[in-house]
Amino acid sequence: DPGEDAARASVDEAEVAVSQAQVVSVDQVLRAATHLFEVGGASATSAGRALDRHWRNARTISSHNPAIYKARFLGYWAVHGEREPLPPDA
């Protein structure tokens, strides 16, 4: 069905874009949050400012959707132009 093929292509395109964004952004956000604490010194860790939430949120997102899996997805996609097949027992 051409409609299903177009929908699948749209989903694949979106997943590639999201995976690319996550692989790049998670590392950058964690690095930026670390620099925030280095530059801000002890006052950056005060509970009143709650700046630690940015680092904590980035860590939560990166552990919920591990970038290594996103990178693997992107690598397979780049080489084969399609999704990696699911394992037989999945």
Side-chain angles (χ1 to χ4, degrees):
D1 177 18
E4 285 182 28
D5 292 342
R8 180 78 249 173
S10 293
V11 168
D12 289 345
E13 183 180 328
E15 188 164 359
V16 168
V18 167
S19 295
Q20 289 170 333
Q22 184 173 350
V23 167
V24 172
S25 65
V26 166
D27 183 54
Q28 290 178 345
V29 168
L30 290 172
R31 193 174 312 141
T34 298
H35 289 310
L36 176 67
F37 291 115
E38 289 173 358
V39 170
S43 64
T45 63
S46 71
R49 293 187 178 167
L51 295 175
D52 61 309
R53 74 182 183 279
H54 301 297
W55 181 86
R56 193 173 52 256
N57 289 343
R59 288 303 306 156
T60 300
I61 290 168
S62 68
S63 63
H64 178 68
N65 296 311
I68 193 167
Y69 295 125
K70 299 295 183 181
R72 177 181 170 153
F73 166 78
L74 292 170
Y76 193 91
W77 186 270
V79 171
H80 301 283
E82 63 185 20
R83 296 172 169 273
E84 185 173 9
L86 294 173
D89 60 344

